[in-house]
Amino acid sequence: MPEVIRRVLVANRGEIALRIIRACHEEGLESVAVYSDADRLSPHVRAANTAVPLGPPPARESYLDIAKLVAAAKESGCQAVHPGYGFLSERAPFAEAVRDAGLVFVGPSPAAIRAMGDKTEARRRMQAAGVPIVPGMTEPARDAAAARKDAARLGYPVLLKAASGGGGKGMRLVRSEGEIEHAFTAAQSEAQKAFGADAIYLERYVERPRHVEIQILADTHGRVSALGERECSIQRRHQKLIEEAPSVAVTPALRRRMSEAATAAAGAVGYVGAGTIEFLLAPDGNFYFLEMNTRIQVEHPVTELVYGVDLVREQLRVAAGLPLGVRAGLLEPRGHAIECRITAEDPFNDFLPATGIVRYLRVPGGPGVRWDGGVEAGNEVTLFYDPLIAKLIVWAQSREAAIGRMRRALRELVIVGLPTSQAFHLRVMDDPEFRRGELDITYLERRSTDLLRRGVGEPLGRPLAVAAALLADERRAAARPRLPGDGGTAAPSAWLLQARREALRDE
Ligand code: MV4
C-alpha cells in the first residue's frame, strides 16, 4: 500500500468489521474499530489496533451517526474509512462527508451511489447502456390513475416498487386491475415511511425467478473484472440465508452474457471498487437487471473461494489508487462454495429473532471450512443490530462435495445459549430439491413446512449447565493421559452427547 493510506477506520461492527480489520492487517495497514456500548466486548474491538467508543447502543446514536464517525476517523489519524455493509455503506451523504473531511471513502463515488439508489434512474442508465431491464416504466407514476394506465399497457401481473427503495420495502404485487388503486396508495405510504419519498413505478412481475448476482471489481485505471455469479435464491422476507457460487442454473455462455451486462452496468455509472449487480434469472433463461449494490456484500466469501480473490484487499488497493491485483475481464470459477448464515433466530418459531448470551461456542474447522464470525463465547446478542452471529462457508471440488462438507461442518458447530438457524441449514443440506438445485425465490416458502416439521422448537433448557458440561469435557479431554496409538480422541461423555443433541435439537 502506498503512503496515502496507512490507517483505516472501520465504520461497522460484528463479523464484517473483523473481516475488514483482518484484511487491513494483512496489507500492513493499521485499523481503528468503532463500537457502541453494547459492543465493548466484541471481537472486532480487540482485533483492531485501537478502538473509538461511539456511545449508546441504538444504531442512530452510534453506527449511523455520520458526524461521530468522521470525527473518530480524523481524531484517530486515519486516512480512509471502510463502511462495510448495512449502516452507512450506501448513503451518499456519508461518502460525501468522508471526502469533505479529506479522507478516502473505501467505495464508489457519491454520484455512483446516488445513481444506483434511485431505481428509475438506475433503470434509465441501464437501458441506455444496453443492460436488459425488467419490462416496465423508467419514470415514477404520477398517481394511481397513471399507474392503472401503465399496468394496462404492460399487462398483469405487475409489481409496484418504490423508486428510492430496494430490499423489497414498499413493493406490492398486483394481479388484476381491480386491486391497483388500493395497492398504489398502500405502496406510496409504505415507501414514504421507509425512505421518506413516496415515488412508485411499475414493472412486469417475473414469476418464480432465481436471484443471481454478479460480482465486479473496478479500479481507478479503467480496469474492470467480473467474478461470476452468486446464487442467492434461498431467502426469507428479503433476508438471504444460504448463498452459493457458481449457480447450477448458469452455463459458461450465460455467465459470459451476465458478466458482460454487469460490466456495462458498472461502466454506466463510472463505478470504482467492489460492486454487485443483481439480476432476476427467469425460468425461460432471460435475465433482467434488478439493482446494483454499491458495497461489499455479506455473501462475498463464496466468490472469494471460487475465484481465489480477496475482495476486501482489492477494495483497499483500489481506494489507494493501485491497479486491481486480479486480471481484468471475465474470470473463471474453480470448484464450488456454499455459505450458511448462522443467525440468532428460531427456525422452529417462524424465525423469531432471539437474544441472549452465547455461553459456549465450538467453531467448525478442517479442510475447506471458513468461519467469518463476529461473536465469541460471553458476548450478548441483542435486538439492537441484525441477528447474524457468523457465516459458515465451505469450498469443495463439486457442489455435491460442498454440500457434504457443509453438513459435516454444521454438525461440528456447537452454539449454546440461544436458538440459532443451525438446524434449519442442516435440513436444507438434506433436502432433495436443494440437492437437485431446484431453487427459485419461492424455495423457502414452498419448502419450509416440510423442512421445519418435527422441530421441537423449545429454547435450550439449561444453557449454563450445558456450557459448563462442554467446557468440563474439553478440559477433561485436554488433561487426560494419552496412550500410544489411541489417536488422541477422547470418548465423548454422556454429557457431551446430550449437550450436542440439545444444541442441534433435531439430531
Ligand atoms: C421483482 C420480482 C419479480 N418481478 N421484480 C425483491 C427485492 C427487490 N430487490 C426486488 N425484488 C423482486 N423484484 C419483478 N419485476 C421479485 C422480487 C423478489 C425477490 C427478488 C430477489 C430475491 C428475493 C425476492 C423475493 C421476493 C420478490
Side-chain angles (χ1 to χ4, degrees):
M1 289 288 158
E3 286 303 290
V4 284
I5 300 180
R6 278 174 291 107
R7 189 178 292 169
V8 179
L9 183 106
V10 181
N12 215 298
R13 64 180 298 281
E15 70 86 18
I16 194 63
L18 188 53
R19 166 77 186 84
I20 296 162
I21 290 163
R22 284 169 164 161
C24 287
H25 294 180
E26 287 183 14
E27 293 308 299
L29 300 173
E30 289 179 24
S31 61
V32 177
V34 291
Y35 63 101
S36 74
D37 294 343
D39 286 337
R40 66 189 191 286
L41 302 176
S42 295
H44 81 274
V45 177
R46 255 175 302 121
N49 295 110
T50 54
V52 179
L54 292 175
R60 205 149 293 289
E61 298 170 64
S62 51
Y63 301 105
L64 287 173
D65 188 326
I66 293 177
K68 275 187 191 171
L69 289 160
V70 172
K74 291 300 283 183
E75 284 161 25
S76 61
C78 290
Q79 296 81 34
V81 175
H82 195 309
Y85 55 66
F87 295 123
L88 297 167
S89 59
E90 293 181 288
R91 305 264 183 100
F94 182 55
E96 238 157 32
V98 168
R99 275 199 176 178
D100 291 348
L103 300 161
V104 177
F105 181 74
V106 183
S109 67
I113 297 175
R114 267 202 194 94
M116 288 303 187
D118 179 333
K119 303 306 162 192
T120 53
E121 179 176 354
R123 280 168 60 79
R124 291 192 296 274
R125 297 243 200 161
M126 294 306 112
Q127 197 166 42
V131 178
I133 59 174
V134 188
M137 313 315 294
T138 50
E139 299 283 352
R142 221 177 338 96
D143 51 31
R148 182 153 44 80
K149 280 190 194 135
D150 290 342
R153 266 197 297 132
L154 276 177
Y156 287 91
V158 298
L159 202 52
L160 308 184
K161 292 188 175 184
S164 41
K169 265 185 230 139
M171 232 169 58
R172 276 285 190 298
L173 172 59
V174 184
R175 293 220 173 254
S176 65
E177 188 157 57
E179 307 163 20
I180 196 157
E181 311 237 343
H182 176 255
F184 186 83
T185 324
Q188 265 188 327
S189 78
E190 206 175 306
Q192 181 66 46
K193 260 181 243 147
F195 312 110
D198 70 353
I200 300 292
Y201 74 101
L202 277 80
E203 285 180 14
R204 175 82 208 218
Y205 182 63
V206 180
E207 306 263 9
R208 289 185 69 158
R210 290 175 183 252
H211 174 148
V212 175
E213 58 187 32
I214 302 280
Q215 176 73 55
I216 62 106
L217 281 170
D219 65 20
T220 54
H221 305 272
R223 293 219 285 177
V224 184
S225 305
L227 296 94
E229 79 283 3
R230 294 185 284 260
E231 163 72 67
C232 305
S233 296
I234 303 189
Q235 52 78 45
R236 187 181 172 280
R237 299 187 183 163
H238 307 296
Q239 293 300 316
K240 295 164 186 164
L241 288 164
I242 299 175
E243 304 95 345
E244 51 184 312
S247 165
V248 296
V250 175
T251 61
L254 180 56
R255 180 170 305 121
R256 197 170 319 118
R257 289 200 295 130
M258 293 182 82
S259 298
E260 278 162 6
T263 303
V269 293
Y271 199 83
V272 168
T276 298
I277 296 83
E278 295 186 357
F279 293 102
L280 290 179
L281 176 57
D284 64 9
N286 284 314
F287 65 89
Y288 308 98
F289 171 85
L290 208 50
E291 47 194 76
M292 180 168 186
N293 300 314
T294 55
R295 59 166 193 272
I296 191 78
Q297 287 193 272
V298 177
E299 60 271 27
H300 76 275
V302 293
T303 299
E304 295 190 321
L305 295 182
V306 295
Y307 287 88
V309 172
D310 181 332
L311 290 169
V312 180
R313 171 179 186 261
E314 296 306 320
Q315 286 189 295
L316 294 168
R317 285 180 61 89
V318 168
L322 294 170
L324 287 177
V326 296
R327 269 198 1 260
L330 280 44
L331 279 66
E332 291 291 323
R334 181 178 147 261
H336 199 94
I338 304 176
E339 169 177 286
C340 288
R341 298 191 188 188
I342 310 297
T343 59
E345 294 175 307
D346 187 351
F348 303 109
N349 190 8
D350 203 28
F351 286 86
L352 190 75
T355 59
I357 295 172
V358 176
R359 297 291 181 180
Y360 180 94
L361 177 62
R362 191 177 71 178
V363 167
V369 174
R370 170 170 165 184
W371 177 265
D372 276 21
V375 171
E376 60 192 19
N379 288 161
E380 186 175 3
V381 178
T382 68
L383 294 177
F384 288 116
Y385 315 112
D386 77 46
L388 189 68
I389 293 172
K391 304 176 314 203
L392 175 57
I393 313 112
V394 302
W395 180 92
Q397 293 279 4
S398 66
R399 185 170 189 268
E400 204 185 352
I403 293 171
R405 186 162 268 174
M406 183 60 86
R407 286 186 86 261
R408 187 271 291 171
L410 283 165
R411 295 170 76 112
E412 283 183 19
L413 171 63
V414 181
I415 302 177
V416 178
L418 70 184
T420 75
S421 56
Q422 178 182 15
F424 161 79
H425 289 301
L426 266 171
R427 289 176 183 203
V428 173
M429 294 303 125
D430 287 337
D431 178 38
E433 284 190 27
F434 173 76
R435 297 178 78 96
R436 289 196 296 270
E438 293 173 7
L439 306 176
D440 62 66
I441 62 170
T442 70
Y443 170 85
L444 209 64
E445 231 184 326
R446 277 189 292 112
R447 300 294 299 144
S448 59
T449 336
D450 258 19
L451 289 174
L452 299 174
R453 224 182 320 124
R454 293 177 297 124
V456 178
E458 279 174 57
L460 278 186
R462 306 171 306 283
L464 266 176
V466 174
L470 286 162
L471 281 167
D473 216 278
E474 276 182 357
R475 299 217 173 110
R476 188 161 52 245
R480 118 188 193 288
R482 296 290 158 85
L483 301 171
D486 75 353
T489 47
S493 72
W495 255 112
L496 181 66
L497 292 172
Q498 171 65 17
R500 281 181 53 69
R501 263 195 298 277
E502 277 202 47
L504 292 174
R505 260 192 287 169
D506 66 336
E507 290 301 294

